[in-house]
Short mmCIF file of all heavy atoms in Angstrom, two decimals:
data_model
loop_
_atom_site.label_atom_id
_atom_site.label_comp_id
_atom_site.label_asym_id
_atom_site.label_seq_id
_atom_site.Cartn_x
_atom_site.Cartn_y
_atom_site.Cartn_z
N SER V 87 13.23 31.19 -16.35
CA SER V 87 11.88 31.39 -16.03
C SER V 87 11.61 32.81 -15.44
O SER V 87 12.62 33.55 -15.26
CB SER V 87 11.33 30.33 -15.11
OG SER V 87 12.03 30.30 -13.91
N ALA V 88 10.41 33.17 -15.12
CA ALA V 88 10.01 34.52 -14.70
C ALA V 88 11.07 35.24 -13.82
O ALA V 88 11.47 36.29 -14.13
CB ALA V 88 8.66 34.46 -14.00
N ASN V 89 11.49 34.56 -12.77
CA ASN V 89 12.40 35.24 -11.83
C ASN V 89 13.74 34.48 -11.67
O ASN V 89 14.59 34.88 -10.90
CB ASN V 89 11.79 35.33 -10.45
CG ASN V 89 10.46 36.12 -10.46
OD1 ASN V 89 10.47 37.28 -10.76
ND2 ASN V 89 9.34 35.40 -10.27
N ILE V 90 13.91 33.43 -12.40
CA ILE V 90 15.13 32.63 -12.19
C ILE V 90 15.82 32.48 -13.54
O ILE V 90 15.37 31.71 -14.41
CB ILE V 90 14.82 31.25 -11.65
CG1 ILE V 90 13.94 31.36 -10.33
CG2 ILE V 90 16.07 30.42 -11.30
CD1 ILE V 90 13.42 30.06 -9.76
N PRO V 91 16.94 33.12 -13.77
CA PRO V 91 17.62 33.16 -15.06
C PRO V 91 18.19 31.74 -15.35
O PRO V 91 18.13 31.34 -16.52
CB PRO V 91 18.76 34.14 -14.97
CG PRO V 91 18.76 34.69 -13.63
CD PRO V 91 17.58 34.12 -12.80
N SER V 92 18.71 31.06 -14.37
CA SER V 92 19.33 29.72 -14.69
C SER V 92 18.76 28.64 -13.77
O SER V 92 19.18 28.55 -12.59
CB SER V 92 20.83 29.75 -14.58
OG SER V 92 21.30 28.46 -14.72
N TYR V 93 17.89 27.88 -14.31
CA TYR V 93 17.27 26.77 -13.60
C TYR V 93 18.35 25.81 -13.05
O TYR V 93 18.40 25.39 -11.93
CB TYR V 93 16.31 26.04 -14.48
CG TYR V 93 15.64 24.85 -13.92
CD1 TYR V 93 14.33 24.95 -13.30
CD2 TYR V 93 16.16 23.58 -14.01
CE1 TYR V 93 13.74 23.79 -12.79
CE2 TYR V 93 15.55 22.41 -13.46
CZ TYR V 93 14.30 22.61 -12.87
OH TYR V 93 13.70 21.51 -12.35
N ASP V 94 19.26 25.44 -13.98
CA ASP V 94 20.27 24.42 -13.68
C ASP V 94 21.20 24.86 -12.58
O ASP V 94 21.54 24.02 -11.74
CB ASP V 94 21.07 24.09 -14.93
CG ASP V 94 20.22 23.40 -16.01
OD1 ASP V 94 19.62 22.37 -15.64
OD2 ASP V 94 20.08 23.91 -17.12
N ARG V 95 21.62 26.11 -12.57
CA ARG V 95 22.46 26.65 -11.48
C ARG V 95 21.85 26.34 -10.12
O ARG V 95 22.48 25.86 -9.22
CB ARG V 95 22.70 28.13 -11.62
CG ARG V 95 23.71 28.53 -12.56
CD ARG V 95 25.08 28.35 -11.99
NE ARG V 95 26.10 28.12 -13.05
CZ ARG V 95 26.53 29.11 -13.80
NH1 ARG V 95 26.16 30.38 -13.59
NH2 ARG V 95 27.38 28.83 -14.82
N VAL V 96 20.56 26.70 -9.98
CA VAL V 96 19.94 26.53 -8.63
C VAL V 96 19.83 25.04 -8.32
O VAL V 96 20.01 24.67 -7.20
CB VAL V 96 18.51 27.20 -8.77
CG1 VAL V 96 17.79 27.04 -7.39
CG2 VAL V 96 18.60 28.65 -9.15
N VAL V 97 19.45 24.24 -9.29
CA VAL V 97 19.39 22.79 -9.04
C VAL V 97 20.73 22.31 -8.53
O VAL V 97 20.81 21.54 -7.55
CB VAL V 97 18.95 22.04 -10.30
CG1 VAL V 97 19.07 20.51 -10.04
CG2 VAL V 97 17.54 22.41 -10.71
N GLN V 98 21.77 22.76 -9.19
CA GLN V 98 23.13 22.27 -8.84
C GLN V 98 23.48 22.69 -7.43
O GLN V 98 24.00 21.95 -6.65
CB GLN V 98 24.05 22.93 -9.85
CG GLN V 98 25.34 22.08 -10.07
CD GLN V 98 26.28 22.76 -11.10
OE1 GLN V 98 25.81 23.57 -11.90
NE2 GLN V 98 27.49 22.39 -11.03
N ARG V 99 23.15 23.97 -7.12
CA ARG V 99 23.48 24.48 -5.81
C ARG V 99 22.75 23.73 -4.68
O ARG V 99 23.22 23.48 -3.66
CB ARG V 99 23.20 25.97 -5.70
CG ARG V 99 23.95 26.72 -4.64
CD ARG V 99 23.75 28.21 -4.75
NE ARG V 99 23.88 28.78 -6.05
CZ ARG V 99 23.05 29.67 -6.64
NH1 ARG V 99 21.98 30.05 -6.00
NH2 ARG V 99 23.33 30.15 -7.80
N ALA V 100 21.50 23.29 -5.09
CA ALA V 100 20.68 22.51 -4.09
C ALA V 100 21.06 20.99 -4.06
O ALA V 100 20.34 20.21 -3.44
CB ALA V 100 19.21 22.72 -4.43
N GLY V 101 22.07 20.61 -4.78
CA GLY V 101 22.46 19.22 -4.79
C GLY V 101 21.42 18.32 -5.53
O GLY V 101 21.26 17.17 -5.10
N GLY V 102 20.72 18.92 -6.40
CA GLY V 102 19.64 18.17 -7.09
C GLY V 102 20.00 17.64 -8.42
O GLY V 102 21.04 17.95 -9.00
N GLU V 103 19.14 16.77 -8.91
CA GLU V 103 19.27 16.23 -10.27
C GLU V 103 17.89 16.33 -10.88
O GLU V 103 16.92 16.00 -10.24
CB GLU V 103 19.72 14.82 -10.18
CG GLU V 103 20.03 14.16 -11.60
CD GLU V 103 20.41 12.74 -11.40
OE1 GLU V 103 19.53 11.90 -11.13
OE2 GLU V 103 21.56 12.41 -11.66
N ASN V 104 17.83 16.68 -12.14
CA ASN V 104 16.54 16.87 -12.69
C ASN V 104 16.52 16.41 -14.14
O ASN V 104 17.56 16.23 -14.83
CB ASN V 104 16.16 18.33 -12.74
CG ASN V 104 17.10 19.18 -13.63
OD1 ASN V 104 18.14 19.54 -13.21
ND2 ASN V 104 16.77 19.26 -14.94
N ASN V 105 15.33 16.07 -14.64
CA ASN V 105 15.16 15.72 -15.99
C ASN V 105 13.69 15.79 -16.34
O ASN V 105 12.90 16.09 -15.53
CB ASN V 105 15.76 14.39 -16.39
CG ASN V 105 16.37 14.42 -17.78
OD1 ASN V 105 15.95 15.12 -18.66
ND2 ASN V 105 17.38 13.58 -17.99
N ALA V 106 13.39 15.52 -17.65
CA ALA V 106 12.02 15.56 -18.09
C ALA V 106 11.85 14.69 -19.28
O ALA V 106 12.81 14.30 -19.89
CB ALA V 106 11.69 17.02 -18.55
N PHE V 107 10.57 14.34 -19.51
CA PHE V 107 10.34 13.58 -20.77
C PHE V 107 8.98 14.01 -21.30
O PHE V 107 8.07 14.47 -20.61
CB PHE V 107 10.42 12.08 -20.54
CG PHE V 107 9.43 11.51 -19.50
CD1 PHE V 107 8.12 11.21 -19.89
CD2 PHE V 107 9.83 11.34 -18.21
CE1 PHE V 107 7.22 10.71 -18.95
CE2 PHE V 107 8.95 10.82 -17.24
CZ PHE V 107 7.65 10.53 -17.60
N THR V 108 8.84 13.88 -22.65
CA THR V 108 7.64 14.26 -23.32
C THR V 108 7.12 12.98 -24.02
O THR V 108 7.88 12.27 -24.61
CB THR V 108 7.90 15.33 -24.37
OG1 THR V 108 8.62 16.43 -23.75
CG2 THR V 108 6.64 15.85 -24.96
N SER V 109 5.81 12.74 -23.91
CA SER V 109 5.21 11.66 -24.73
C SER V 109 4.10 12.22 -25.55
O SER V 109 3.92 13.44 -25.60
CB SER V 109 4.67 10.56 -23.82
OG SER V 109 3.52 11.01 -23.15
N ASN V 110 3.36 11.35 -26.19
CA ASN V 110 2.23 11.84 -26.97
C ASN V 110 1.20 12.55 -26.09
O ASN V 110 0.56 13.41 -26.51
CB ASN V 110 1.47 10.68 -27.65
CG ASN V 110 2.38 9.80 -28.50
OD1 ASN V 110 2.71 8.68 -28.21
ND2 ASN V 110 2.80 10.40 -29.62
N ASP V 111 1.12 12.05 -24.85
CA ASP V 111 0.07 12.45 -23.93
C ASP V 111 0.54 13.55 -22.91
O ASP V 111 -0.27 14.41 -22.55
CB ASP V 111 -0.54 11.31 -23.20
CG ASP V 111 -1.19 10.32 -24.14
OD1 ASP V 111 -1.81 10.74 -25.14
OD2 ASP V 111 -1.13 9.09 -23.84
N ILE V 112 1.72 13.39 -22.34
CA ILE V 112 2.11 14.17 -21.28
C ILE V 112 3.53 14.75 -21.40
O ILE V 112 4.33 14.30 -22.19
CB ILE V 112 2.04 13.44 -19.88
CG1 ILE V 112 3.07 12.22 -19.94
CG2 ILE V 112 0.62 12.96 -19.61
CD1 ILE V 112 3.33 11.63 -18.56
N THR V 113 3.83 15.82 -20.56
CA THR V 113 5.13 16.28 -20.46
C THR V 113 5.45 16.29 -18.89
O THR V 113 4.70 16.83 -18.12
CB THR V 113 5.34 17.73 -20.92
OG1 THR V 113 4.69 17.76 -22.23
CG2 THR V 113 6.80 18.07 -21.08
N ASN V 114 6.47 15.53 -18.50
CA ASN V 114 6.73 15.29 -17.07
C ASN V 114 8.13 15.81 -16.64
O ASN V 114 9.11 15.44 -17.29
CB ASN V 114 6.61 13.82 -16.75
CG ASN V 114 6.58 13.51 -15.26
OD1 ASN V 114 5.54 13.64 -14.61
ND2 ASN V 114 7.77 13.20 -14.76
N TYR V 115 8.15 16.60 -15.59
CA TYR V 115 9.39 17.13 -15.07
C TYR V 115 9.66 16.59 -13.73
O TYR V 115 8.74 16.63 -12.84
CB TYR V 115 9.33 18.70 -15.06
CG TYR V 115 9.06 19.32 -16.39
CD1 TYR V 115 7.81 19.43 -16.87
CD2 TYR V 115 10.14 19.77 -17.11
CE1 TYR V 115 7.55 19.97 -18.11
CE2 TYR V 115 9.92 20.33 -18.40
CZ TYR V 115 8.63 20.43 -18.89
OH TYR V 115 8.40 21.00 -20.10
N TYR V 116 10.91 16.21 -13.40
CA TYR V 116 11.17 15.76 -12.06
C TYR V 116 12.49 16.27 -11.53
O TYR V 116 13.41 16.59 -12.34
CB TYR V 116 11.08 14.29 -11.96
CG TYR V 116 12.09 13.44 -12.80
CD1 TYR V 116 13.36 13.30 -12.33
CD2 TYR V 116 11.71 12.96 -14.00
CE1 TYR V 116 14.31 12.56 -13.11
CE2 TYR V 116 12.57 12.27 -14.79
CZ TYR V 116 13.92 12.09 -14.36
OH TYR V 116 14.76 11.39 -15.12
N LEU V 117 12.51 16.34 -10.18
CA LEU V 117 13.68 16.90 -9.51
C LEU V 117 13.90 16.00 -8.31
O LEU V 117 13.02 15.80 -7.54
CB LEU V 117 13.24 18.35 -9.12
CG LEU V 117 14.20 19.34 -8.55
CD1 LEU V 117 15.40 19.42 -9.42
CD2 LEU V 117 13.55 20.71 -8.52
N HIS V 118 15.17 15.49 -8.21
CA HIS V 118 15.47 14.60 -7.11
C HIS V 118 16.49 15.25 -6.25
O HIS V 118 17.60 15.50 -6.70
CB HIS V 118 15.99 13.28 -7.77
CG HIS V 118 16.15 12.10 -6.84
ND1 HIS V 118 16.80 10.97 -7.25
CD2 HIS V 118 15.78 11.89 -5.58
CE1 HIS V 118 16.79 10.12 -6.30
NE2 HIS V 118 16.21 10.66 -5.26
N LEU V 119 16.18 15.57 -5.05
CA LEU V 119 17.15 16.39 -4.21
C LEU V 119 17.06 16.08 -2.71
O LEU V 119 16.13 15.44 -2.31
CB LEU V 119 16.89 17.91 -4.52
CG LEU V 119 15.69 18.67 -3.93
CD1 LEU V 119 15.64 20.06 -4.49
CD2 LEU V 119 14.36 17.98 -4.18
N PRO V 120 18.04 16.52 -1.93
CA PRO V 120 17.99 16.31 -0.51
C PRO V 120 16.67 16.85 0.04
O PRO V 120 16.29 17.95 -0.35
CB PRO V 120 19.20 17.04 0.02
CG PRO V 120 20.17 17.10 -1.09
CD PRO V 120 19.30 17.16 -2.34
N ALA V 121 16.04 16.12 0.92
CA ALA V 121 14.69 16.56 1.38
C ALA V 121 14.73 17.95 2.02
O ALA V 121 13.68 18.67 1.88
CB ALA V 121 14.14 15.57 2.37
N ALA V 122 15.81 18.31 2.63
CA ALA V 122 15.88 19.64 3.24
C ALA V 122 15.68 20.76 2.18
O ALA V 122 15.33 21.89 2.54
CB ALA V 122 17.19 19.80 3.92
N ASN V 123 15.91 20.47 0.92
CA ASN V 123 15.91 21.49 -0.09
C ASN V 123 14.59 21.43 -0.87
O ASN V 123 14.45 21.98 -2.00
CB ASN V 123 17.02 21.40 -1.06
CG ASN V 123 18.37 21.62 -0.33
OD1 ASN V 123 18.41 22.27 0.71
ND2 ASN V 123 19.45 21.11 -0.95
N VAL V 124 13.54 20.78 -0.37
CA VAL V 124 12.39 20.60 -1.11
C VAL V 124 11.69 21.94 -1.49
O VAL V 124 11.12 22.06 -2.55
CB VAL V 124 11.39 19.64 -0.40
CG1 VAL V 124 10.70 20.27 0.82
CG2 VAL V 124 10.38 19.08 -1.38
N GLU V 125 11.88 22.90 -0.60
CA GLU V 125 11.21 24.23 -0.94
C GLU V 125 11.87 24.88 -2.14
O GLU V 125 11.20 25.47 -2.99
CB GLU V 125 11.25 25.13 0.25
CG GLU V 125 10.51 26.48 -0.04
CD GLU V 125 10.23 27.37 1.16
OE1 GLU V 125 10.69 26.98 2.26
OE2 GLU V 125 9.57 28.40 0.99
N THR V 126 13.22 24.67 -2.23
CA THR V 126 13.87 25.16 -3.44
C THR V 126 13.31 24.54 -4.66
O THR V 126 13.10 25.23 -5.73
CB THR V 126 15.37 24.85 -3.40
OG1 THR V 126 15.83 25.30 -2.13
CG2 THR V 126 16.14 25.47 -4.52
N GLY V 127 12.99 23.29 -4.65
CA GLY V 127 12.39 22.61 -5.77
C GLY V 127 11.01 23.19 -6.11
O GLY V 127 10.67 23.39 -7.33
N MET V 128 10.23 23.45 -5.09
CA MET V 128 8.91 24.05 -5.32
C MET V 128 8.95 25.44 -5.94
O MET V 128 8.18 25.85 -6.77
CB MET V 128 8.11 24.12 -4.00
CG MET V 128 8.09 22.78 -3.24
SD MET V 128 6.58 21.88 -3.65
CE MET V 128 5.73 22.06 -2.08
N TRP V 129 9.96 26.18 -5.43
CA TRP V 129 10.17 27.55 -5.91
C TRP V 129 10.53 27.52 -7.43
O TRP V 129 9.90 28.23 -8.27
CB TRP V 129 11.28 28.21 -5.12
CG TRP V 129 11.78 29.48 -5.63
CD1 TRP V 129 11.06 30.60 -5.84
CD2 TRP V 129 13.16 29.84 -5.97
NE1 TRP V 129 11.89 31.62 -6.24
CE2 TRP V 129 13.19 31.16 -6.42
CE3 TRP V 129 14.34 29.08 -5.99
CZ2 TRP V 129 14.31 31.79 -6.88
CZ3 TRP V 129 15.51 29.75 -6.44
CH2 TRP V 129 15.50 31.08 -6.84
N LEU V 130 11.50 26.60 -7.75
CA LEU V 130 11.88 26.48 -9.15
C LEU V 130 10.73 26.10 -10.08
O LEU V 130 10.52 26.72 -11.09
CB LEU V 130 12.90 25.34 -9.30
CG LEU V 130 14.39 25.68 -8.93
CD1 LEU V 130 15.17 24.38 -8.74
CD2 LEU V 130 15.00 26.44 -10.07
N GLU V 131 9.93 25.06 -9.67
CA GLU V 131 8.88 24.63 -10.51
C GLU V 131 7.73 25.65 -10.59
O GLU V 131 7.11 25.77 -11.68
CB GLU V 131 8.35 23.26 -10.05
CG GLU V 131 9.35 22.08 -10.21
CD GLU V 131 9.97 22.00 -11.56
OE1 GLU V 131 9.26 22.32 -12.58
OE2 GLU V 131 11.14 21.60 -11.68
N SER V 132 7.46 26.31 -9.47
CA SER V 132 6.40 27.30 -9.58
C SER V 132 6.75 28.47 -10.46
O SER V 132 5.94 29.00 -11.17
CB SER V 132 6.00 27.82 -8.19
OG SER V 132 7.08 28.52 -7.63
N ASP V 133 8.04 28.81 -10.50
CA ASP V 133 8.50 29.94 -11.28
C ASP V 133 8.34 29.58 -12.80
O ASP V 133 8.12 30.45 -13.62
CB ASP V 133 9.91 30.33 -10.94
CG ASP V 133 10.19 31.80 -11.34
OD1 ASP V 133 9.42 32.69 -10.91
OD2 ASP V 133 11.11 32.01 -12.09
N ARG V 134 8.57 28.34 -13.09
CA ARG V 134 8.46 27.90 -14.51
C ARG V 134 7.00 27.86 -14.96
O ARG V 134 6.68 27.97 -16.10
CB ARG V 134 9.05 26.51 -14.75
CG ARG V 134 10.51 26.45 -14.45
CD ARG V 134 11.24 25.34 -15.19
NE ARG V 134 10.95 24.03 -14.70
CZ ARG V 134 11.65 22.97 -15.19
NH1 ARG V 134 12.58 23.17 -16.15
NH2 ARG V 134 11.40 21.72 -14.78
N MET V 135 6.12 27.71 -13.95
CA MET V 135 4.67 27.67 -14.27
C MET V 135 4.17 29.13 -14.42
O MET V 135 3.24 29.43 -15.19
CB MET V 135 3.90 26.96 -13.20
CG MET V 135 2.47 26.64 -13.63
SD MET V 135 1.53 25.86 -12.33
CE MET V 135 2.14 24.21 -12.36
N LEU V 136 4.81 30.00 -13.72
CA LEU V 136 4.47 31.40 -13.71
C LEU V 136 4.79 32.07 -15.03
O LEU V 136 3.95 32.77 -15.65
CB LEU V 136 5.26 32.12 -12.59
CG LEU V 136 4.87 33.55 -12.22
CD1 LEU V 136 3.41 33.58 -11.64
CD2 LEU V 136 5.83 34.03 -11.14
N GLY V 137 5.96 31.79 -15.56
CA GLY V 137 6.31 32.36 -16.89
C GLY V 137 7.62 32.01 -17.28
O GLY V 137 8.52 31.74 -16.46
N LEU V 138 7.87 32.01 -18.64
CA LEU V 138 9.23 31.62 -19.13
C LEU V 138 9.88 32.88 -19.59
O LEU V 138 9.24 33.90 -19.98
CB LEU V 138 9.08 30.69 -20.33
CG LEU V 138 8.63 29.21 -19.95
CD1 LEU V 138 8.75 28.35 -21.17
CD2 LEU V 138 9.50 28.68 -18.81
N ARG V 139 11.20 32.85 -19.63
CA ARG V 139 11.91 34.05 -20.10
C ARG V 139 13.20 33.69 -20.85
O ARG V 139 14.26 34.15 -20.61
CB ARG V 139 12.29 34.96 -18.93
CG ARG V 139 11.80 36.41 -19.21
CD ARG V 139 11.87 37.23 -18.00
NE ARG V 139 13.14 37.12 -17.27
CZ ARG V 139 13.37 37.91 -16.22
NH1 ARG V 139 12.49 38.82 -15.75
NH2 ARG V 139 14.50 37.82 -15.55
N PHE V 140 13.02 32.72 -21.75
CA PHE V 140 14.25 32.36 -22.58
C PHE V 140 14.42 33.44 -23.70
O PHE V 140 13.47 34.13 -24.13
CB PHE V 140 14.06 31.00 -23.16
CG PHE V 140 12.79 30.75 -23.94
CD1 PHE V 140 12.68 31.14 -25.26
CD2 PHE V 140 11.74 30.12 -23.31
CE1 PHE V 140 11.48 30.90 -25.96
CE2 PHE V 140 10.55 29.90 -24.00
CZ PHE V 140 10.42 30.30 -25.29
N THR V 141 15.62 33.49 -24.12
CA THR V 141 16.01 34.50 -25.15
C THR V 141 15.79 33.95 -26.58
O THR V 141 15.72 32.73 -26.72
CB THR V 141 17.45 34.94 -25.02
OG1 THR V 141 18.24 33.78 -25.23
CG2 THR V 141 17.77 35.54 -23.66
N ARG V 142 15.81 34.85 -27.57
CA ARG V 142 15.69 34.39 -28.96
C ARG V 142 16.92 33.54 -29.31
O ARG V 142 16.80 32.49 -29.98
CB ARG V 142 15.62 35.56 -29.89
CG ARG V 142 15.19 35.12 -31.33
CD ARG V 142 14.71 36.33 -32.14
NE ARG V 142 13.42 36.80 -31.74
CZ ARG V 142 12.25 36.36 -32.21
NH1 ARG V 142 12.22 35.34 -33.02
NH2 ARG V 142 11.10 36.83 -31.76
N LYS V 143 18.03 33.90 -28.72
CA LYS V 143 19.22 33.12 -29.01
C LYS V 143 19.15 31.75 -28.44
O LYS V 143 19.42 30.75 -29.02
CB LYS V 143 20.49 33.91 -28.47
CG LYS V 143 21.78 33.33 -28.93
CD LYS V 143 22.97 34.25 -28.68
CE LYS V 143 24.24 33.42 -28.88
NZ LYS V 143 25.09 33.18 -27.75
N GLY V 144 18.69 31.68 -27.15
CA GLY V 144 18.45 30.43 -26.49
C GLY V 144 17.49 29.55 -27.28
O GLY V 144 17.69 28.36 -27.39
N PHE V 145 16.46 30.19 -27.80
CA PHE V 145 15.48 29.42 -28.57
C PHE V 145 16.14 28.82 -29.84
O PHE V 145 15.92 27.64 -30.12
CB PHE V 145 14.40 30.45 -29.00
CG PHE V 145 13.38 29.92 -29.97
CD1 PHE V 145 12.44 28.98 -29.53
CD2 PHE V 145 13.37 30.26 -31.28
CE1 PHE V 145 11.45 28.50 -30.39
CE2 PHE V 145 12.42 29.79 -32.14
CZ PHE V 145 11.48 28.87 -31.69
N ASP V 146 16.95 29.62 -30.56
CA ASP V 146 17.60 29.07 -31.77
C ASP V 146 18.59 27.96 -31.41
O ASP V 146 18.63 26.97 -32.14
CB ASP V 146 18.39 30.23 -32.46
CG ASP V 146 17.42 31.24 -33.07
OD1 ASP V 146 16.26 30.86 -33.32
OD2 ASP V 146 17.83 32.39 -33.28
N ILE V 147 19.27 28.11 -30.33
CA ILE V 147 20.26 27.04 -29.94
C ILE V 147 19.50 25.77 -29.58
O ILE V 147 19.85 24.66 -30.05
CB ILE V 147 21.19 27.53 -28.75
CG1 ILE V 147 22.10 28.56 -29.29
CG2 ILE V 147 21.87 26.33 -28.16
CD1 ILE V 147 22.86 29.29 -28.23
N GLN V 148 18.39 25.86 -28.81
CA GLN V 148 17.72 24.63 -28.42
C GLN V 148 17.06 23.96 -29.64
O GLN V 148 16.95 22.74 -29.68
CB GLN V 148 16.67 24.91 -27.32
CG GLN V 148 17.27 25.11 -25.93
CD GLN V 148 18.18 23.96 -25.56
OE1 GLN V 148 17.96 22.79 -25.73
NE2 GLN V 148 19.36 24.38 -25.01
N LYS V 149 16.69 24.73 -30.61
CA LYS V 149 16.18 24.11 -31.80
C LYS V 149 17.23 23.27 -32.44
O LYS V 149 16.93 22.15 -32.90
CB LYS V 149 15.70 25.27 -32.85
CG LYS V 149 14.26 25.44 -32.85
CD LYS V 149 13.91 26.68 -33.60
CE LYS V 149 13.53 26.53 -34.97
NZ LYS V 149 12.82 27.72 -35.58
N ASN V 150 18.40 23.82 -32.49
CA ASN V 150 19.56 23.08 -33.02
C ASN V 150 19.87 21.79 -32.23
O ASN V 150 20.16 20.74 -32.76
CB ASN V 150 20.80 23.97 -33.02
CG ASN V 150 21.56 23.78 -34.36
OD1 ASN V 150 21.17 23.00 -35.19
ND2 ASN V 150 22.60 24.61 -34.47
N VAL V 151 19.81 21.95 -30.86
CA VAL V 151 20.07 20.81 -30.02
C VAL V 151 18.99 19.68 -30.33
O VAL V 151 19.39 18.49 -30.42
CB VAL V 151 20.01 21.18 -28.47
CG1 VAL V 151 19.98 19.96 -27.63
CG2 VAL V 151 21.24 22.13 -28.19
N VAL V 152 17.77 20.10 -30.46
CA VAL V 152 16.75 19.09 -30.70
C VAL V 152 16.88 18.47 -32.13
O VAL V 152 16.66 17.26 -32.32
CB VAL V 152 15.30 19.80 -30.60
CG1 VAL V 152 14.25 18.89 -31.15
CG2 VAL V 152 15.03 20.11 -29.12
N ILE V 153 17.35 19.24 -33.05
CA ILE V 153 17.60 18.68 -34.34
C ILE V 153 18.77 17.63 -34.26
O ILE V 153 18.71 16.56 -34.90
CB ILE V 153 17.97 19.80 -35.41
CG1 ILE V 153 16.62 20.55 -35.67
CG2 ILE V 153 18.53 19.28 -36.68
CD1 ILE V 153 16.80 21.85 -36.46
N GLU V 154 19.78 17.92 -33.50
CA GLU V 154 20.87 16.96 -33.29
C GLU V 154 20.30 15.71 -32.58
O GLU V 154 20.70 14.61 -32.82
CB GLU V 154 22.02 17.56 -32.52
CG GLU V 154 22.82 18.55 -33.33
CD GLU V 154 23.38 18.04 -34.69
OE1 GLU V 154 23.76 16.83 -34.72
OE2 GLU V 154 23.41 18.77 -35.66
#
Side-chain angles (χ1 to χ4, degrees):
Chain V
S87 56
N89 302 293
I90 306 172
S92 171
Y93 179 92
D94 294 304
R95 278 282 154 76
V96 180
V97 172
Q98 207 181 337
R99 206 174 306 136
E103 182 183 73
N104 64 275
N105 215 332
F107 59 84
T108 308
S109 73
N110 304 111
D111 297 325
I112 63 164
T113 313
N114 189 83
Y115 299 84
Y116 61 83
L117 189 50
H118 191 188
L119 75 185
N123 296 338
V124 73
E125 184 167 6
T126 308
M128 306 267 251
W129 171 58
L130 278 164
E131 293 309 327
S132 65
D133 203 57
R134 299 206 283 189
M135 193 182 285
L136 191 64
L138 290 188
R139 234 170 44 178
F140 52 83
T141 60
R142 191 165 290 274
K143 191 168 170 243
F145 174 74
D146 290 337
I147 288 168
Q148 283 311 315
K149 260 166 94 164
N150 223 356
V151 169
V152 168
I153 289 168
E154 288 305 323

